[in-house]
Amino acid sequence: MAARKQSYSGSDIQVLEGLEPVRKRPAMYIGGTDTSGFHHLLWEILDNSVDEVINGHAGRVDVVLHKDGKTVTIVDDGRGIPVDVMPKYKKSALEVILTTLHAGGKFEQGNYIHSGGLHGVGSSVVNALASKLVVEVKRDGKKHVQTYSRGKPTSTLKVEGPARGSGTSVTFTPDAEIFGEKQKFDAELVRERLEAKSYLHKGMTVVFRDQTQSPEAVHSYKHDGGISEYLTKVVGERGKPSVPANAPSFYLQRETGARMEVALVWTEATDEHLRSYVNGIPTPNGGTHEAGLRSAVVKAVRNYIETHELTPKGVTLTAEDIREGITALLSTYVVEPQFQGQTKGRLNNPEVSAQVDGTVRPALEKWLNDNKSVAEAVVARIILAARAREASRAASQAVSRKTAVSHRLNLPGKLADCSSTNPADSELFIVEGDSAGGSAKQGRDRRTQAILPLRGKVLNAEQASSDKVAGNKELQDIVSALGCGIGKDFDATKLRYGKVFLLMDADSDGNHIATLLLTFFYRHLRPLIENGNIFIAQPPLYRVDIGKETHWALDEVERDRILKEKLKGNAKPNIMRFKGLGEMNPEQLKMTTLDPNQRNALRVTIDDALMTDRIINDLMGRDVSARFKAIMERASEVEDAEELDV
Ligand code: 0RA
């Protein structure tokens, strides 16, 4: 852009250059003559009209795709391109704008504040590359019309009659000499772009008439919710629910100074999905505005975690963990945007990063504090992402050495296998600790129940956080025992046990191992969770002896219920709390936890696996009220959730 003036008048347009360079080297101006360049012509004209809306001069844009599929009309109800004669050039401003490169009076600061910058040259570039272009301007009560071909006027500017209101209409056909005979506008692509624009500029009416269909297809868009409405749609389309489900999204609109609009939500997706725009134009390759948003998110969340002392033990949260699952829309306005490449794929203005960061970070932090339940779920999700990442790294290292083992020869040495080879009646108990493993081996039904002891020490919280976790054989042994392989070698038909139970102590080490294993299953053996093969065993926490009777209680609630129901007269109960599985003898373990007719267990669902430390803690931690709550909350998802007999 050459001219920089405060107000527009005919004499302001300074740099004049013919349009021959555009026809000679179209790629320099529109990126290429492929389908993307072809559509670029439409986007250029469209953005000029949308600029009128952005700056408050227009409220509606119509786009018509004509029957031939190659001709389009873009109409706005803005001020209309000026038609007054510029004395210096003895031509109308309209003609100067359409026939000279870099003519840019309207696009300057003060007049066209939020222009896409390069769009100043847009209309002349389009004109140069169109075999026919007709422009109609309604202004000063008159309708003005002029036609062009390949950048040159083919008529004078004529008044065609009176007109009501004001506005501009541009109809053009891309030049087959440049683009070939075959190309056509992709109606669906155009529709999508227009729909996106209608979200990006809240309140703007956009109508698309696709006359390649008969009868013509008319799509009309207007969204007063702006990009927060757009976000809901994008999240819906991606099919990954928000975390927590139906969480409100973060939304911010800044109208003064660095104008921007941001909508953001964490979802269960495992990638990060960011769509950014500068002056309403998509920036598919990101840039400094996106960098600012990323940094704001990471810092806001880190701050939240720190101030609320939610820092997890044994795992380090990376920026990627924090951003995993984010779906966000970022629309920024930059006065003089610098783009990388002619097609504006990436924003380069260095100052924008700090503007976005500085605006979003405090707002997001406040939002997290104001929406505690969302924030908690988000933090839990982030911690899970970190654990999954570490488990995944450990697993891939361990498993790359040995997969899909279906022969008994390759079974891990410490596995006490069952004699049945029928998966339908075979069960595997993955047991924390050698001593509990020993009790389980003695208490099991050898025919149908296999025991795989895990060394708690090997998988403790400390080591799980380090690379060393990959060095332990535990995960590898599990995969070997299951027999079904992993990742791309996974084959559910080779699974050796129909039910797999995690049997852990009800303490923080046990919780941690369960979390690690579940995240491992979720990442690498998800079908097992989906098929309902994975269970969390529920050993009792209390033994209540009343006279000669022995009762087992899963938690405090059950203990108290037993006392209330069974305690007669002045009998004295003997209550014992198990600190760990190791305190139970084989017979007790069998009665309470192993025997299919007496035990309790919870089937793990995908929601559980996605879940989070909190739910694991609820299930494993025996925090009575929380556990009860977790079960109630998930009662619909977990088959017979409350004390499922399996
Ligand atoms: C130059 C100056 C003014 C408006 C425009 C161009 C203009 C261009 C396009 C392209 C599509 N629709 C458009 N609408 C307006 C400002 C004129 C004034 O101050 O009245």
Side-chain angles (χ1 to χ4, degrees):
M1 303 303 302
R4 302 278 172 214
K5 289 287 164 93
Q6 281 306 305
S7 65
Y8 173 85
S9 77
S11 57
D12 277 346
I13 295 167
Q14 292 176 344
V15 179
L16 294 181
E17 206 184 325
L19 293 175
E20 295 81 78
V22 182
R23 289 188 62 83
K24 266 203 193 111
R25 307 177 69 184
M28 284 227 355
Y29 299 87
I30 57 166
T33 55
D34 56 356
T35 178
S36 151
F38 188 88
H39 286 84
H40 197 89
L41 303 186
L42 170 50
W43 312 146
E44 287 287 351
I45 300 295
L46 175 66
D47 287 338
N48 286 340
S49 288
V50 172
D51 273 353
E52 282 291 281
V53 178
I54 296 174
N55 290 289
H57 303 298
R60 170 171 173 152
V61 176
D62 288 64
V63 174
V64 182
L65 176 55
H66 296 265
K67 260 201 163 60
D68 64 358
K70 302 177 175 193
T71 304
V72 281
T73 299
I74 299 96
V75 188
D76 67 64
D77 60 352
R79 294 165 296 178
I81 302 178
V83 288
D84 51 315
V85 171
M86 301 168 74
K88 198 170 157 191
Y89 306 108
K90 302 190 179 70
K91 284 176 185 171
S92 68
L94 176 92
E95 190 173 327
V96 173
I97 287 172
L98 281 168
T99 57
T100 56
L101 215 39
H102 304 167
K106 78 161 219 184
F107 304 99
E108 300 320 314
Q109 289 189 40
N111 198 352
Y112 253 52
I113 305 169
H114 297 302
S115 149
L118 276 168
H119 285 102
V121 300
S123 41
S124 63
V125 167
V126 175
N127 195 22
L129 300 175
S131 53
K132 182 167 186 194
L133 184 141
V134 181
V135 55
E136 295 180 13
V137 172
K138 290 193 284 180
R139 227 182 131 101
D140 312 322
K142 289 178 212 135
K143 184 174 170 189
H144 311 261
V145 183
Q146 190 170 24
T147 60
Y148 295 84
S149 177
R150 306 193 163 114
K152 303 214 163 86
T154 49
S155 80
T156 56
L157 179 59
K158 289 179 189 136
V159 173
E160 269 202 349
R164 237 185 268 242
S166 64
T168 304
S169 160
V170 175
T171 301
F172 71 91
T173 314
D175 191 350
E177 281 179 15
I178 307 278
F179 297 98
E181 299 283 353
K182 292 220 177 79
Q183 301 208 57
K184 290 191 173 179
F185 287 106
D186 176 342
E188 180 53 19
L189 190 69
V190 174
R191 191 202 60 72
E192 257 174 27
R193 181 96 165 201
L194 293 175
E195 186 178 13
K197 293 261 182 216
S198 73
Y199 284 109
L200 238 37
H201 308 295
K202 51 166 111 167
M204 172 172 75
T205 300
V206 180
V207 178
F208 177 41
R209 287 161 53 197
D210 175 9
Q211 298 182 342
T212 61
Q213 311 268 332
S214 72
E216 69 172 355
V218 180
H219 307 268
S220 186
Y221 303 108
K222 181 173 185 289
H223 294 289
D224 294 325
I227 63 170
S228 80
E229 223 180 309
Y230 194 19
L231 185 69
T232 310
K233 179 180 141 77
V234 173
V235 169
E237 281 169 358
R238 286 173 49 80
K240 300 285 183 184
S242 60
V243 172
N246 301 316
S249 50
F250 167 76
Y251 176 74
L252 168 154
Q253 183 175 24
R254 178 171 166 175
E255 308 232 43
T256 54
R259 246 185 90 184
M260 67 185 77
E261 207 181 342
V262 180
L264 181 153
V265 72
W266 273 267
T267 72
E268 287 174 5
T270 48
D271 61 346
E272 172 193 83
H273 188 77
L274 232 144
R275 294 188 195 176
S276 65
Y277 305 83
V278 172
N279 303 339
I281 296 151
T283 37
N285 305 328
T288 49
H289 55 329
E290 278 194 12
L293 180 64
R294 288 205 173 86
S295 147
V297 169
V298 171
K299 286 181 202 151
V301 171
R302 279 206 200 285
N303 242 352
Y304 181 87
I305 289 176
E306 264 160 42
T307 41
H308 295 268
E309 294 176 0
L310 298 171
T311 310
K313 273 203 224 114
V315 65
T316 314
L317 305 181
T318 67
E320 288 71 28
D321 296 331
I322 291 173
R323 298 193 325 249
E324 190 184 291
I326 277 184
T327 299
L329 300 170
L330 166 65
S331 172
T332 49
Y333 291 86
V334 180
V335 177
E336 285 186 55
Q338 295 151 27
F339 292 106
Q340 195 164 297
Q342 289 294 328
T343 49
K344 310 182 185 99
R346 186 187 160 84
L347 182 72
N348 276 345
N349 298 52
E351 74 281 6
V352 178
S353 175
Q355 285 167 355
V356 174
D357 188 352
T359 306
V360 175
R361 188 179 359 151
L364 181 57
E365 211 177 315
K366 179 175 187 304
W367 181 84
L368 290 168
N369 281 300
D370 291 346
N371 293 275
K372 278 257 149 52
S373 63
V374 177
E376 266 175 33
V378 164
V379 170
R381 191 228 179 284
I382 289 166
I383 294 170
L384 183 76
R387 294 241 152 92
R389 174 177 48 74
E390 291 188 350
S392 156
R393 187 178 54 196
S396 66
Q397 291 177 12
V399 166
S400 63
R401 279 175 258 132
K402 195 182 199 177
T403 55
V405 180
S406 56
H407 295 293
R408 281 170 184 253
L409 271 179
N410 292 324
L411 291 174
K414 58 195 159 108
L415 173 75
D417 208 358
C418 54
S419 57
S420 168
T421 52
N422 176 9
D425 65 8
S426 300
E427 302 178 340
L428 175 68
F429 284 80
I430 300 172
V431 185
E432 172 193 2
D434 279 336
S435 87
S439 291
K441 276 179 195 174
Q442 292 176 51
R444 70 181 169 138
D445 173 347
R446 290 168 175 273
R447 198 184 69 79
T448 58
Q449 298 184 317
I451 309 293
L452 180 65
L454 291 184
R455 298 215 169 75
K457 280 198 186 90
V458 181
L459 268 178
N460 73 13
E462 227 81 88
Q463 295 194 356
S465 71
S466 74
D467 298 325
K468 283 178 198 139
V469 75
N472 80 71
K473 276 179 81 267
E474 313 302 310
L475 295 177
Q476 193 182 344
D477 282 351
I478 291 172
V479 175
S480 299
L482 293 175
C484 58
I486 196 164
K488 59 177 166 27
D489 299 320
F490 178 83
D491 180 354
T493 63
K494 293 202 176 129
L495 181 65
R496 302 176 62 249
Y497 311 95
K499 290 176 181 157
V500 178
F501 295 81
L502 309 186
L503 179 51
M504 313 286 145
D505 280 335
D507 59 15
S508 65
D509 271 359
N511 291 357
H512 182 77
I513 295 170
T515 308
L516 196 73
L517 291 179
L518 276 188
T519 54
F520 172 73
F521 284 127
Y522 181 73
R523 273 290 154 111
H524 297 281
L525 295 161
R526 195 173 310 178
L528 299 188
I529 298 179
E530 285 164 351
N531 298 340
N533 297 115
I534 311 294
F535 298 83
I536 297 177
Q538 300 279 287
L541 206 49
Y542 293 95
R543 172 179 170 160
V544 182
D545 288 334
I546 302 173
K548 288 209 168 76
E549 278 179 37
T550 295
H551 304 272
W552 308 95
L554 218 49
D555 53 32
E556 281 80 355
V557 173
E558 216 183 351
R559 177 199 62 193
D560 294 345
R561 186 171 53 76
I562 290 166
L563 289 175
K564 207 171 148 209
E565 280 173 16
K566 309 282 178 187
L567 209 52
K568 303 261 155 57
N570 52 8
K572 260 203 147 195
N574 187 19
I575 301 172
M576 189 180 130
R577 188 184 197 279
F578 295 111
K579 290 204 193 68
L581 295 167
E583 290 184 8
M584 256 184 272
N585 65 39
E587 189 53 30
Q588 292 169 341
L589 197 60
K590 177 191 177 121
M591 276 171 60
T592 60
T593 314
L594 302 177
D595 181 358
N597 298 318
Q598 302 182 64
R599 73 193 176 198
N600 296 294
L602 296 175
R603 172 175 268 139
V604 177
T605 67
I606 274 293
D607 297 281
D608 295 337
L610 247 187
M611 60 183 162
T612 56
D613 284 345
R614 185 177 66 83
I615 295 182
I616 298 233
N617 278 324
D618 293 349
L619 291 173
M620 300 286 303
R622 306 299 166 79
D623 161 356
V624 185
S625 58
R627 177 162 180 275
F628 183 68
K629 227 177 126 234
I631 289 170
M632 294 314 283
E633 279 170 5
R634 294 161 35 268
S636 57
E637 298 147 23
V638 181
E639 190 184 305
D640 278 340
E642 203 177 343
E643 263 97 276
L644 178 72
D645 291 333
V646 288

